Amino acid sequence: MNRMKRTLIAAAAIAALAGCSPRPGDPGRPQETAMADPWKEKLTPEQYYVCRQKGTERPFTGKFNSHKGKGAYVCVACGQELFSSDAKFDSGTGWPSFFKPAGKESVREESDGALGMSRVEVLCSKCGSHLGHVFDDGPKPTGLRYCINSAALDFVEQPKK
């Protein structure tokens, strides 16, 4: 079994054991505070869970996992361009994967030690929304795999010429 598949299986198992994978509205989900939050007005419950609570959608369920359109993947919360369809590839992990961001300043990365794993979290550099994680098992030319939640993305189709 290759390293990427072992990592995916381990992450899914840990998330399931830690109760971190329920979707919004699932039993056992932490109660949210009553304070007004402008992000709740803008985002769906699943988008809020992923982007603002650093959640993860279930593999193979996101609308952009098998998406083949030409254009730009943008932050669902603020609209900033994050990834180009030219950098998208099929990693087989169940989440949209990209080998590089749209630009140097499109995303920021932070160390993430949640769930007892050492990973690198990927966030929108404009609004701070959680997007997913980056791993060093991607294709050339970068060797990186930006594993991104569909719920954190929107798509802007490239104009037809």
Side-chain angles (χ1 to χ4, degrees):
M1 186 179 320
N2 69 28
R3 189 170 130 206
M4 183 171 38
K5 285 184 181 174
R6 285 193 310 267
T7 301
L8 176 63
I9 291 168
I14 291 169
L17 289 172
C20 295
S21 60
R23 291 169 105 52
D26 283 352
R29 193 154 156 75
Q31 294 299 315
E32 298 171 10
T33 62
M35 293 177 54
D37 185 341
W39 292 114
K40 287 187 176 181
E41 297 294 318
K42 180 171 180 58
L43 304 172
T44 68
E46 183 174 34
Q47 291 168 338
Y48 185 85
Y49 170 63
V50 169
C51 296
R52 307 317 301 173
Q53 297 181 312
K54 300 180 186 253
T56 301
E57 65 195 8
R58 292 181 179 140
F60 302 102
T61 62
K63 66 182 176 180
F64 294 123
N65 182 48
S66 299
H67 187 254
K68 305 281 190 218
K70 292 290 184 190
Y73 292 89
V74 300
C75 178
V76 73
C78 71
Q80 174 167 263
E81 184 175 354
L82 302 169
F83 300 95
S84 167
S85 60
D86 293 337
K88 190 172 188 290
F89 69 99
D90 183 4
S91 66
T93 61
W95 291 276
S97 296
F98 305 87
F99 60 81
K100 70 176 183 177
K104 278 183 120 175
E105 304 299 320
S106 299
V107 300
R108 66 182 166 89
E109 299 174 7
E110 290 184 3
S111 179
D112 176 8
L115 304 177
M117 295 185 283
S118 179
R119 301 182 293 176
V120 177
E121 180 183 10
V122 180
L123 303 121
C124 173
S125 64
K126 184 175 177 183
C127 71
S129 286
H130 170 78
L131 305 172
H133 293 87
V134 62
F135 303 94
D136 64 358
D137 59 2
K140 292 181 180 181
T142 65
L144 298 174
R145 173 175 53 96
Y146 288 84
C147 188
I148 308 298
N149 291 284
S150 287
L153 301 174
D154 207 348
F155 184 73
V156 178
E157 193 169 348
Q158 181 177 329
K160 302 226 189 295
K161 295 181 181 182

